[in-house]
Amino acid sequence: MAPHLEWLLIGAAAVLGSGIYDTATAGAAAREYNRTHGLRARVTPTAGGPQGEQVRLSVTLQF
């Protein structure tokens, strides 16, 4: 295998691993940031429409 290809694969693996880690820890990091700065947010799914076929998200923020 060519030496430059090995570095490309190592770099791609690092980017992929970093993306997976960031995605997995984003929720906890956001909750910690909000708790530290006194922010409260709530996202609630709602249904409506004549037959309940419309689904929405309601967002409530407290500062």
Side-chain angles (χ1 to χ4, degrees), residues 9-55:
L9 293 176
I10 291 170
V15 169
L16 181 62
S18 175
I20 291 170
Y21 175 80
D22 287 346
T23 302
T25 61
R31 282 188 293 278
E32 179 62 29
Y33 178 88
N34 290 342
R35 187 173 22 258
T36 301
H37 293 86
L39 303 174
R40 291 187 355 191
R42 182 175 46 203
V43 178
T44 308
T46 58
Q51 299 174 356
E53 74 280 359
Q54 297 174 347
V55 179

